[in-house]
Amino acid sequence: MHMDVIDLRDFYGRPLGRVAQHHIARRIEEIWPDVRGLNMLGLGFATPYLAPFLGTAQRVIGLMPARQGVMQWPADARCLTGLVDERELPLPDESMDRVLLVHGLEASESMRGLLRQIWRVLAPGGRVMIVVPNRRGLWARREATPFGHGQPFSRSQITQLLRESMFSPSCWEAALFVPPFDWRPLLRSSAAWERAGHMLWPRFSGVIVVEATKQIYAATPLPAARKAASRVRAIAPLPAPARSVMPTDDE
């Protein structure tokens, strides 16, 4: 069972979803504090976490798998999202500097195929950041949230999967120590839960956040990359490049 784009949108519209977004976004921005001049791709349902990068990255787009569905983002501006086959991303080789994968890997029908596509579109030295449910955490056991659907991971499992796909983990973070319940007094104390969780029980976070770098061992592309490069197909039009916006002195 998986959540579609409407379920995900509704979750992030609830108080619990807004709390989850806030704490995960903090970890993402801590790892990637500066994306000026970079091309950035969000995969899965990453749009709740892409907004902070719109003003600084050279290009920001969001691609959503056909199985999940797609919705317009941003809601009040030119659409930067598209519907795609996750095994054939409609992007040129080495065209992206950063890839953010959220609500994608755990629901994928071809995890290694998806990671090979990310490897293909990443530029040399490019980085991917993946947010996945933690197998040990309470959120993976709560089906009322998106993190309770699909395949949860342990740190060792995601490490093995990344290395088999020619990525090297470079940074680890954890988020969502607050219990996954829509109880307002609990949500108001979420910051305290996060601080305590990082100090006392870091292995039991709701999600694992891992950054990995692209490894290059040979000059020839992977078989899946050669196939995708020769037959690239989009289910929905790919958004045009976003205009670069220079940061102000106040940023």
Side-chain angles (χ1 to χ4, degrees):
M1 181 179 178
H2 68 282
M3 283 192 163
D4 63 22
V5 69
I6 303 301
D7 298 323
L8 292 161
R9 181 201 63 187
D10 292 346
F11 170 74
Y12 281 104
R14 291 161 40 197
L16 182 62
R18 291 192 291 269
V19 166
Q21 178 181 349
H22 171 74
H23 291 298
I24 294 173
R26 284 189 60 191
R27 300 303 169 193
I28 292 172
E29 292 177 39
E30 285 174 2
I31 298 174
W32 288 347
D34 185 3
V35 297
R36 283 177 291 182
L38 301 181
N39 291 322
M40 189 165 186
L41 166 65
L43 275 176
F45 194 76
T47 52
Y49 304 99
L50 291 177
F53 303 110
L54 279 175
T56 53
Q58 176 173 297
R59 186 184 187 191
V60 178
I61 58 175
L63 299 182
M64 301 181 183
R67 188 165 176 255
Q68 172 188 286
V70 69
M71 63 184 300
Q72 177 170 331
W73 177 86
D76 56 353
R78 181 180 57 182
C79 182
L80 300 176
T81 53
L83 188 70
V84 298
D85 183 336
E86 63 180 25
R87 294 164 296 185
E88 296 183 20
L89 298 182
L91 295 170
D93 294 356
E94 301 182 355
S95 58
M96 290 289 147
D97 302 295
R98 298 286 186 273
V99 176
L100 176 63
L101 180 58
V102 187
H103 301 304
L105 190 64
E106 66 270 25
S108 174
E109 295 180 328
S110 177
M111 295 182 187
R112 287 172 176 80
L114 174 58
L115 288 172
R116 288 190 184 106
Q117 282 295 293
I118 293 172
W119 188 96
R120 179 182 67 81
V121 304
L122 270 176
R127 303 177 190 177
V128 58
M129 190 186 307
I130 305 174
V131 180
V132 290
N134 182 5
R135 180 177 293 277
R136 296 184 176 184
L138 185 59
W139 286 72
R141 295 167 172 78
R142 176 81 170 156
E143 292 188 359
T145 82
F147 304 103
H149 295 259
Q151 172 68 51
F153 292 88
S154 66
R155 181 163 168 166
S156 60
Q157 287 172 329
I158 192 68
T159 297
Q160 180 179 354
L161 183 59
L162 286 168
R163 288 178 175 169
E164 289 174 353
S165 303
M166 297 179 68
F167 288 100
S168 177
S170 55
C171 183
W172 297 88
E173 275 293 352
L176 300 189
F177 294 94
V178 60
F181 301 104
D182 272 308
W183 188 41
R184 290 187 181 275
L186 185 66
L187 298 181
R188 283 196 291 266
S189 63
S190 64
W193 280 94
E194 292 296 304
R195 289 192 298 269
H198 275 279
M199 291 187 296
L200 301 176
W201 51 87
R203 294 186 178 184
F204 297 96
S205 62
V207 298
I208 298 171
V209 182
V210 56
E211 180 198 50
T213 56
K214 176 179 179 177
Q215 296 178 342
I216 302 177
Y217 292 132
T220 57
L222 294 171
R226 290 198 297 268
K227 177 182 176 183
S230 64
R231 185 168 60 89
V232 174
R233 175 170 60 90
I235 298 174
L238 187 65
R243 182 175 298 176
S244 176
V245 180
M246 295 299 294
T248 66
D249 294 337
D250 296 332
E251 293 181 342

